[in-house]
C-alpha cells in the first residue's frame, strides 16, 4: 500500500488557526459584549445618580405635614374665627384662624415653617399666640398652600408662599391691623423677607431661625442626610426642581433679600447649633439693617426653631421689649 506523504495530508481545519475569520469574529463579539456591558453599567449608575437627585428634589417639594389636631379655643381657651382669604395673586384661597383682641388695632401674623402647618407644635405656636394675645394683639394664623388639609400643592421655597403671606397681610389690614407684625419661623421667616420686598404694609418682623432657600443652604441640608458632591448635585437638583414644583431657584429672590436694608425694624433670633439654617445668615441679614430698632439675638447652643423651648423667659422678654420699642416708634411718628 502506498503511503501518503506529509504534503498529501488534509489541511488543518480553520477553527484551529488563531488567524481564522471565525476566531476573529468571536473575539470581536466578546469585545462588543464587554463594551456594551460596561456602558450599560455606566448608564445605570448615571440613571441612579440622577434618580437620587430627583427623589431629593421631590422630597423638598412635598414635605409631610401632619393634620390639624386642635384649635385656639381647645388649646388656650382663645375665642377665634375660621377665616378664608385669597392669596395676593388670586392663585388660591387660604384657610386660617383669626383671634381678635378687645378693641385692638394691632395684629401679629404668624408665618409657619416648612413641613408644618399653622399649629407648628414643636415651637409651640399656641403658646406664642396666647402670649401675643395677652399683649393685646389680634392674631392671624394660617396654613401655606403646601400645608393645607387635602391640598396637593407643593412647597416652592417662598415663590408662591410670599403671595399667600401677602394675602394674609391684606386680610389683617382690612380687619383693623393698623400696626402689623409678621412673626416668621424657618422657611416662614425667609418667606416673610421675600414678601416684604413687595409690601409697604409691614411695620416690623420677628424672624426665628431664618431659612432662605438658596444653593448654599439647600446643599447644607442635603449633606445632613447624604454625602453628595456639591457639583454636579446642585446643578442637577436645580434642573429638576422646575419640573417637579414649577419653581427655579432663579425665581426665588434670595440675592435681593441678602442685600436688602428693610425700612422697618426686624428682630432676628437664631441658634448657633442650627443644623438647617447656619446662623451666619442671620448675622449677615442683621448687618444690612440700619433701622435703629432692629436687633439680633444669636443664642449659643440653641437649635433650629427650638429657641423658645430652650430659653422661654429670655425669648419672651426680648420679644416684649422689641414690640414695645416698635409701638413707641409708631406712636411718635403718628401724633
Amino acid at each position: 500500500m502506498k503511503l501518503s506523504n506529509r504534503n498529501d495530508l488534509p489541511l488543518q481545519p480553520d477553527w484551529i488557526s488563531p488567524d481564522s475569520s471565525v476566531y476573529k469574529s468571536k473575539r470581536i463579539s466578546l469585545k462588543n459584549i464587554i463594551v456594551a456591558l460596561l456602558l450599560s453599567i455606566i448608564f445605570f449608575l448615571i440613571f441612579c445618580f440622577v434618580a437620587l437627585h430627583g427623589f431629593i428634589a421631590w422630597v423638598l417639594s412635598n414635605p409631610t405635614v401632619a393634620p390639624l389636631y386642635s384649635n385656639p379655643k381647645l388649646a388656650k381657651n382663645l375665642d377665634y374665627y375660621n377665616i378664608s382669604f385669597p392669596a395676593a395673586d388670586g392663585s388660591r384661597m387660604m384657610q386660617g384662624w383669626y383671634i381678635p383682641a378687645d378693641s385692638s388695632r394691632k395684629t401679629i401674623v404668624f408665618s409657619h415653617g416648612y413641613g408644618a402647618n399653622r399649629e407648628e407644635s414643636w415651637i409651640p405656636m399656641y403658646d406664642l399666640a396666647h402670649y401675643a394675645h395677652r399683649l393685646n394683639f389680634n392674631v392671624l394664623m394660617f396654613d401655606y398652600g403646601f400645608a393645607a388639609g387635602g391640598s396637593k400643592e407643593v412647597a416652592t421655597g417662598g415663590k408662591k408662599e410670599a403671595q399667600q403671606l401677602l394675602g394674609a397681610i391684606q386680610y389683617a389690614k382690612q380687619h383693623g391691623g393698623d400696626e402689623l407684625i409678621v412673626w416668621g419661623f424657618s422657611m416662614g421667616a425667609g418667606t416673610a423677607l421675600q414678601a416684604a420686598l413687595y409690601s409697604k404694609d409691614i411695620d416690623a418682623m420677628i424672624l426665628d431661625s431664618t431659612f432662605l432657600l438658596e444653593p448654599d443652604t439647600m446643599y447644607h441640608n442635603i449633606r445632613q442626610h447624604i454625602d453628595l458632591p456639591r457639583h454636579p448635585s446642585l446643578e442637577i437638583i436645580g434642573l429638576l426642581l422646575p419640573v417637579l414644583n414649577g419653581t427655579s431657584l432663579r425665581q426665588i429672590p434670595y440675592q435681593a433679600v441678602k442685600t436688602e436694608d428693610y425700612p422697618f425694624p426686624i428682630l432676628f433670633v437664631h441658634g448657633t447649633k442650627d443644623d438647617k439654617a447656619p446662623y451666619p445668615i442671620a448675622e449677615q441679614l442683621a448687618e444690612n439693617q440700619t433701622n435703629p430698632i432692629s436687633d439680633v439675638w444669636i443664642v449659643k447652643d440653641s437649635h433650629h426653631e427650638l429657641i423658645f423651648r430652650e430659653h422661654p423667659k429670655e425669648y419672651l422678654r426680648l420679644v416684649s421689649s422689641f414690640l414695645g420699642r416698635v409701638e413707641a416708634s409708631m406712636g411718635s411718628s403718628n401724633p
Side-chain angles (χ1 to χ4, degrees):
M1 184 169 72
K2 185 177 177 182
L3 296 173
S4 297
N5 60 30
R6 183 178 295 272
N7 293 331
D8 294 330
L9 293 174
L11 294 175
Q12 245 181 337
D14 288 344
W15 62 268
I16 296 177
S17 171
D19 297 325
S20 68
S21 60
V22 174
Y23 182 77
K24 285 182 177 179
S25 67
K26 287 185 176 181
R27 285 173 57 192
I28 292 171
S29 297
L30 181 60
K31 185 185 292 184
N32 289 342
I33 291 172
I34 293 172
V35 171
L37 182 60
L38 288 175
L39 288 175
S40 298
I41 293 172
I42 291 170
F43 285 129
F44 176 73
L45 292 175
I46 292 173
F47 171 79
C48 289
F49 188 70
V50 174
L52 173 62
H53 289 75
F55 176 73
I56 292 171
W58 186 89
V59 170
L60 289 172
S61 304
N62 295 272
T64 300
V65 180
L68 295 172
Y69 71 90
S70 188
N71 61 56
K73 186 65 174 179
L74 292 175
K76 293 293 179 181
N77 198 33
L78 294 171
D79 293 327
Y80 72 99
Y81 302 104
N82 288 309
I83 61 172
S84 62
F85 54 87
D89 60 0
S91 58
R92 63 166 293 136
M93 292 299 292
M94 314 301 299
Q95 307 299 320
W97 296 321
Y98 186 75
I99 307 169
D102 290 339
S103 304
S104 178
R105 303 294 296 178
K106 53 185 184 178
T107 303
I108 285 178
V109 176
F110 282 106
S111 175
H112 70 77
Y114 173 86
N117 54 33
R118 71 188 88 159
E119 291 179 321
E120 201 150 4
S121 58
W122 54 82
I123 285 176
M125 196 75 90
Y126 284 122
D127 287 359
L128 293 182
H130 186 234
Y131 171 75
H133 189 260
R134 284 170 49 203
L135 294 178
N136 202 37
F137 280 89
N138 306 305
V139 175
L140 195 158
M141 306 167 72
F142 74 102
D143 293 332
Y144 282 114
F146 67 82
S151 172
K152 296 186 181 300
E153 190 166 307
V154 296
T156 64
K159 176 192 170 187
K160 291 183 178 179
E161 292 81 4
Q163 293 297 317
Q164 295 166 6
L165 176 57
L166 289 173
I169 291 169
Q170 290 172 2
Y171 182 95
K173 294 294 287 187
Q174 293 164 3
H175 291 77
D178 294 341
E179 177 185 336
L180 198 144
I181 316 295
V182 176
W183 196 338
F185 303 83
S186 187
M187 192 175 284
T191 296
L193 289 170
Q194 294 179 54
L197 295 172
Y198 314 109
S199 175
K200 295 182 179 180
D201 292 329
I202 301 171
D203 296 302
M205 292 199 297
I206 303 167
L207 303 181
D208 185 323
S209 306
T210 303
F211 180 96
L212 187 62
L213 186 62
E214 58 170 329
D216 286 343
T217 52
M218 184 169 69
Y219 182 65
H220 174 82
N221 278 268
I222 292 171
R223 284 290 301 272
Q224 303 299 313
H225 304 283
I226 184 170
D227 189 10
L228 290 173
R230 182 180 179 89
H231 303 289
S233 290
L234 285 179
E235 288 77 10
I236 294 172
I237 293 174
L239 290 172
L240 293 173
L241 277 175
V243 177
L244 294 171
N245 71 5
T247 302
S248 167
L249 284 178
R250 293 190 298 271
Q251 295 175 290
I252 299 173
Y254 60 87
Q255 295 286 12
V257 168
K258 289 170 67 175
T259 57
E260 181 73 6
D261 179 9
Y262 291 91
F264 49 79
I266 306 175
L267 172 62
F268 294 94
V269 180
H270 220 102
T272 61
K273 285 193 174 180
D274 191 320
D275 60 352
K276 293 181 174 60
Y279 72 91
I281 188 172
E283 292 182 323
Q284 178 186 348
L285 292 168
E287 287 176 3
N288 296 336
Q289 309 311 310
T290 58
N291 189 295
I293 302 176
S294 289
D295 201 358
V296 58
W297 182 35
I298 304 297
V299 190
K300 185 178 179 181
D301 295 334
S302 273
H303 302 81
H304 190 73
E305 292 191 279
L306 297 179
I307 303 168
F308 172 53
R309 278 188 178 274
E310 294 167 343
H311 304 276
K313 291 182 179 179
E314 296 91 333
Y315 192 105
L316 295 182
R317 187 182 304 118
L318 184 66
V319 166
S320 178
S321 175
F322 174 75
L323 292 174
R325 294 197 302 274
V326 169
E327 192 165 0
S329 70
M330 292 189 66
S332 63
S333 63
N334 297 296

